[in-house]
Amino acid sequence: MTAPLSDTELIARVVAAGDARAFEQLVLRHQGVVRGFLRHLTAEADDVAQETFLSAYRRLAHFRGDSKFSTWLIAIAYNEMRQMHRRGTQQSKVVSALRLEAPNSSAEVPVEVHDLPKMLAWLPEEERAALLLSYAYGYSHSEIALVTGLPVGTVKSKLNRAKARILERMRMNGTVSQHV
């Protein structure tokens, strides 16, 4: 029994010989992480994931190996999701519904908004992405900067702001004490 090929070996096979099976192995290996990340950001996670892998296939020859392949894929996924939202063809149902209820106003957050997915939905997109990448996926500040295209200092600020917003929502809902 032979050991599975590394990402680097699979990428080389795709780039050099157009090996579709090698790319399929890359997709199978990384689709869970990509889809999981996107599910926290958009209701169209599967569509965006599909676009991500198509885009990755087209750009695979440009992968330099400066970061892990999974980081490169997550960066593509994040950019694909942002492009879909910018074009206005796809909108996150959760975020849209919450924006209709309380679009950056000082309106009280409904009491039922105390579970993490709803808390995350209240965060601006870049803060939500930074928080997820840091805590759910264990990415470093520099890896988050690569994915989002933000400077490392801005990533740190977005993480701090996101944590502060979530804590404030939890205080408003009475799920955490004022002294936390």
Side-chain angles (χ1 to χ4, degrees):
M1 185 169 181
T2 61
L5 297 175
S6 70
D7 287 350
T8 304
E9 292 167 322
L10 291 170
I11 291 166
R13 285 184 174 198
V14 174
V15 172
D19 187 341
R21 288 193 190 273
F23 188 72
E24 180 181 353
Q25 287 179 358
L26 286 168
V27 171
L28 291 172
R29 186 176 291 171
H30 296 284
Q31 70 180 342
V33 170
V34 170
R35 288 178 195 276
F37 171 67
L38 290 168
R39 281 192 183 108
H40 290 290
L41 295 175
T42 181
E44 292 82 21
D46 291 334
D47 293 339
V48 178
Q50 184 174 359
E51 289 300 317
T52 297
F53 285 108
L54 288 172
S55 182
Y57 182 77
R58 288 190 295 266
R59 296 193 259 174
L60 199 54
H62 301 289
F63 176 67
R64 296 185 314 252
D66 296 342
S67 64
K68 293 185 289 188
F69 182 66
S70 60
T71 302
W72 186 72
L73 277 175
I74 290 290
I76 292 172
Y78 183 65
N79 288 324
E80 287 292 330
M81 186 265 321
R82 290 178 70 195
Q83 285 177 346
M84 288 182 104
H85 285 193
R86 248 185 255 125
R87 286 190 300 259
T89 58
Q90 304 287 326
Q91 289 292 327
S92 168
K93 293 175 187 168
V94 174
V95 175
S96 295
L98 290 174
R99 282 189 184 142
L100 290 174
E101 280 183 46
N104 294 330
S105 71
S106 59
E108 184 97 6
V109 179
V111 174
E112 68 270 8
V113 181
H114 59 79
D115 61 307
L116 189 58
K118 287 182 181 176
M119 289 287 184
L120 290 173
W122 281 95
L123 294 175
E125 177 186 296
E126 288 179 340
E127 289 178 18
R128 187 169 64 244
L131 195 71
L132 286 167
L133 289 168
S134 178
Y135 292 100
Y137 295 93
Y139 279 38
S140 68
H141 293 149
S142 58
E143 288 174 318
I144 296 168
L146 281 171
V147 168
T148 61
L150 299 170
V152 173
T154 303
V155 167
K156 291 177 184 179
S157 296
K158 298 245 180 239
L159 282 169
N160 287 331
R161 252 184 258 129
K163 289 186 280 189
R165 287 180 202 259
I166 286 180
L167 278 173
E168 182 58 30
R169 294 278 184 211
M170 292 172 79
R171 284 186 189 110
M172 288 172 54
N173 294 333
T175 56
V176 70
S177 79
Q178 294 292 334
H179 303 293
V180 172

